[in-house]
Amino acid sequence: MSSTNEFAAVFEREEPPEGKLKVSFGPQHPGSGQFRIILTIDGDIVEEAVPDPGFVHRGVEKMCEYKTYIQNIPHIERPVIHDSSGVLFAYALAVERLLGMSEKIPERAQYIRVIMAELNRIVSHEYFLAILGIFLGHSTAFTWCMGDREALIDAAGALTGARVTFSYLVPGGVRTDTPPGFEEKLLKACDYIESRIPVYKQMMFDSPFMKMRMEGVGVIGRQEAIDHGLAGPTLRASGVDSDVRKDEPYSLYDTLDFAVPVRKEGDIMSRLLLHMDEMEQSIGIIRQAVRRMRPGPVKLPLRGQVRGAVGDAYARTEAARGVNSYYIISDGQIHPYRVRINTPSGRNLAIMARLLTGARVADVPILHWSLDYWPLEADR
Amino acid sequence: MKPTTFARGFLVATWAGAKHLLRRRMTLMYPHVENYPTQQMYAYDPKKNVAVSGWRGRHYLDMDKCTGCQLCFIACENISEAIEMIPLPETDYPQNKKKIFPSVDYGRCVFCGFCVDACPFYALYMTPNDELSETERNDLYYSPAELSKPPPLFPAPRVNMKLDLKRGAHDER
């Protein structure tokens, strides 16, 4: 389905049957994000959909083999810039397991990591809501979500020194200690986002027009979601209670008190509401972490080049879009021998062809975006 | 959907938006006012092995401390290849026997700051100035002399984002 040859075969097939039309959705569509779907449509109904990813393949896995463990950091986060701490968390944990120092990470560093991961989850979910608003023709949602996202980016910028490409989580801890006044700024931003969530719900989910567009559209059943191997909010919106933070707790997540929101309907509306629920939970986690943080060191001293021991390491975290995992093999050099990256977006692509078949053309953008599929992350 | 539910939902959604007409807005007239999360310089403390929070913008090179050790160049080597060591034979700094200093090509730099983390002599910093747009690509190349100039003063007043739970986010003047 996803190979270029198959795409060519579909595209070069004879003319579509009488009365049908072949449409290439993307790759330059402002929302599809360098990704295209070849649709065969009959009137307003999609008869066949062939997703065609691979336009933004950068060879991240191969490039990792030529860079040192620290040089990989700015480069690994680039495909998923609005969830940069979420993806770096898994990488940092994998490198620490490889070096055998995962038990020695200072507690303060772990709390800051949790804060940054949850902050990035909220930022990424706000971005999700904003773009979905655009696809629904709801520009107000776009401007509000993008504007409110600035509150958290502002707090994170004071800590890390960048707006989205933080490069902040490194093997051994985090790069900087918190500047004075950071906690107040962060908590204020959390209060602000929390006060905005009911407003989003009023604006987007009470509106009868939005309900008509989203309720009962793109339903994924529970068993179907499991069979296709979906991940993250898409999976949880179909009634599967699966979250790496609870199932295999890493870092300090087993000491923090939070719930995993699950919804049963499996349609676009439930996926959206699930993002809101997760934002509320993340705000709770940030507040707990800020309250429990004590002064102390934030980084282990790593002298000279990081040189991995001979062996392999695997780490799995719950990034904003779902399960994100890194598998690193080292042969004792200053750079890894092999890095395998498994991203949630690649998994969610599996159901796209099924979901689009039989849908209306106007629903294609929202169905595509509601799956949490980010082409840059999936192609890597 | 019942007509009453429809009407109620429609009114709630419209009212949620209409309330914002009365709120103050966070709209900045950009070249005249600017918003930065922080105005600190990003620096690194090699003794404590930890960096100091600050905005990662244009670099600042302290030529009185740079020894020409090339560690910043090595750190940048596989990330963006922006740093290049160039010889300055006319200079006379006693600590820099090789007489080589880093130059940065901002057409390539990704502002990750790992060059600052690599410097063991407190010679390299990053300043909050990130307004580096030029009309010529060659102008983005900063020589050591340009990097060692102190960061420019900003003529525009700087504002912070103020978050008010009742009145919304707006700029603080």
Side-chain angles (χ1 to χ4, degrees):
Chain A
M1 180 185 74
S2 58
S3 74
T4 317
N5 291 338
E6 185 116 3
F7 143 67
V10 170
F11 206 66
E12 285 170 6
R13 212 192 280 162
E14 309 90 54
E15 289 290 303
E18 188 66 30
K20 309 278 170 69
L21 194 63
K22 213 168 255 186
V23 178
S24 176
F25 180 85
Q28 78 286 11
H29 187 275
S32 67
Q34 300 89 39
F35 159 76
R36 85 161 153 187
I37 316 167
I38 299 161
L39 304 168
T40 308
I41 55 175
D42 179 13
D44 194 21
I45 307 292
V46 177
E47 294 230 317
E48 192 192 4
V50 181
D52 178 28
F55 285 89
V56 274
H57 174 63
R58 314 177 187 195
V60 170
E61 289 181 2
K62 190 67 189 167
M63 283 207 286
C64 285
E65 296 167 16
Y66 297 95
K67 296 167 193 282
T68 64
Y69 289 94
I70 298 295
Q71 283 167 349
N72 274 332
I73 289 171
H75 161 71
I76 273 173
E77 71 174 5
R78 280 307 187 280
V80 211
I81 51 171
H82 40 256
D83 186 23
S84 54
S85 298
V87 289
L88 276 185
F89 208 151
Y91 176 74
L93 287 177
V95 175
E96 280 158 12
R97 282 174 195 168
L98 191 66
L99 301 177
M101 60 184 192
S102 46
E103 302 299 316
K104 291 178 248 164
I105 306 300
E107 200 186 48
R108 186 177 175 83
Q110 300 212 29
Y111 276 122
I112 299 178
R113 279 181 176 188
V114 168
I115 288 171
M116 284 309 287
E118 296 303 322
L119 187 145
N120 254 141
R121 191 186 310 279
I122 303 174
V123 168
S124 176
H125 284 1
E126 289 263 11
Y127 185 85
F128 172 90
L129 294 172
I131 303 294
L132 202 107
I134 277 285
F135 284 169
L136 285 162
H138 197 316
S139 310
T140 315
F142 175 77
T143 48
W144 285 7
C145 294
M146 279 303 205
D148 296 337
R149 182 170 160 265
E150 287 298 313
L152 285 167
I153 288 181
D154 205 56
L159 174 64
T160 62
R163 275 175 55 80
V164 281
T165 50
F166 302 135
S167 304
Y168 185 63
L169 276 61
V170 291
V174 291
R175 277 171 81 177
T176 69
D177 204 345
T178 53
F182 168 72
E183 280 88 351
E184 291 79 45
K185 203 172 184 178
L186 180 68
L187 291 176
K188 217 169 189 179
C190 285
D191 290 345
Y192 179 66
I193 297 288
E194 197 177 35
S195 75
R196 296 292 289 168
I197 289 173
V199 186
Y200 297 158
K201 285 187 177 163
Q202 281 176 359
M203 173 206 37
M204 284 179 90
F205 307 121
D206 280 356
S207 167
F209 305 113
M210 295 298 114
K211 278 188 181 169
M212 286 179 202
R213 284 298 297 278
M214 293 189 288
E215 270 183 356
V217 178
V219 178
I220 305 174
R222 184 189 145 88
Q223 194 55 43
E224 201 178 16
I226 297 170
D227 292 347
H228 281 82
L230 303 186
T234 316
L235 180 65
R236 291 194 284 276
S238 295
V240 186
D241 185 1
S242 158
D243 190 317
V244 183
R245 291 176 294 171
K246 283 278 186 203
D247 300 343
E248 333 168 344
Y250 52 93
S251 194
L252 294 172
Y253 276 111
D254 48 349
T255 65
L256 294 160
D257 180 29
F258 65 100
V260 179
V262 177
R263 282 178 183 267
K264 290 203 178 63
E265 296 85 4
D267 55 357
I268 300 182
M269 184 64 116
S270 68
R271 269 169 246 153
L272 253 102
L273 289 170
L274 194 94
H275 280 80
M276 301 261 179
D277 300 345
E278 288 201 351
M279 276 157 69
E280 282 170 358
Q281 293 297 329
S282 295
I283 289 169
I285 295 175
I286 290 177
R287 283 190 184 135
Q288 286 176 45
V290 169
R291 202 164 52 232
R292 292 187 194 174
M293 225 161 41
R294 297 282 171 270
V298 292
K299 196 177 162 193
L300 286 181
L302 289 172
R303 300 253 175 254
Q305 284 287 21
V306 180
R307 203 177 278 269
V310 180
D312 58 349
Y314 177 72
R316 199 154 98 113
T317 60
E318 186 78 20
R321 290 194 163 76
V323 184
N324 198 317
S325 60
Y326 279 82
Y327 179 57
I328 302 177
I329 305 177
S330 162
D331 56 354
Q333 300 288 320
I334 55 169
H335 43 74
Y337 175 75
R338 173 84 171 93
V339 177
R340 166 80 181 127
I341 310 171
N342 194 350
T343 58
S345 290
R347 292 149 146 258
N348 288 346
L349 181 64
I351 205 167
M352 193 175 287
R354 204 295 279 151
L355 209 58
L356 291 178
T357 309
R360 290 189 177 274
V361 175
D363 289 340
V364 171
I366 49 172
L367 282 170
H368 149 64
W369 188 256
S370 76
L371 285 176
D372 251 349
Y373 174 69
W374 183 244
L376 296 109
E377 185 189 33
D379 295 350
R380 50 192 187 281
Chain B
M1 198 182 289
K2 275 191 236 163
T4 47
T5 324
F6 187 94
R8 196 191 150 274
F10 180 75
L11 288 174
V12 167
T14 316
W15 176 239
K19 271 193 290 191
H20 286 72
L21 291 172
L22 308 169
R23 286 187 164 194
R24 284 182 70 182
R25 277 170 291 181
M26 177 79 190
T27 306
L28 298 184
M29 294 307 190
Y30 162 60
H32 308 297
V33 283
E34 291 168 2
N35 171 37
Y36 275 81
T38 174
Q39 292 172 31
Q40 298 290 317
M41 292 221 284
Y42 179 80
Y44 188 74
D45 191 347
K47 278 188 192 134
K48 288 185 191 160
N49 192 43
V50 70
V52 182
S53 283
W55 195 251
R56 299 203 302 253
R58 198 208 87 182
H59 294 79
Y60 169 64
L61 173 68
D62 195 342
M63 287 174 89
D64 291 330
K65 289 181 180 161
C66 179
T67 61
C69 68
Q70 307 187 30
L71 281 175
C72 50
F73 166 71
I74 292 166
C76 194
E77 215 172 12
N78 272 329
I79 296 176
S80 62
E81 320 257 343
I83 295 184
E84 198 182 332
M85 304 302 289
I86 55 169
L88 294 177
E90 309 88 52
T91 56
D92 187 24
Y93 292 101
Q95 86 285 358
N96 198 331
K97 296 274 180 338
K98 285 184 260 179
K99 298 190 176 181
I100 51 172
F101 292 92
S103 65
V104 183
D105 181 358
Y106 286 106
R108 286 167 165 264
C109 182
V110 296
F111 300 96
C112 65
F114 281 111
C115 48
V116 179
D117 290 14
C119 182
F121 301 109
Y122 302 93
L124 203 58
Y125 300 88
M126 284 175 113
T127 65
N129 176 24
D130 56 7
E131 293 171 332
L132 300 165
S133 57
E134 302 281 354
T135 47
E136 293 284 329
R137 196 184 165 101
N138 285 348
D139 295 344
L140 289 168
Y141 178 84
Y142 276 58
S143 65
E146 282 174 284
L147 288 177
S148 63
K149 279 182 203 157
L153 291 171
F154 297 93
R158 301 183 148 222
V159 294
N160 290 321
M161 191 176 187
K162 192 165 165 38
L163 297 171
D164 195 326
L165 294 191
K166 289 219 176 92
R167 290 155 66 210
H170 55 86
D171 43 316
E172 189 179 48
R173 286 178 216 264

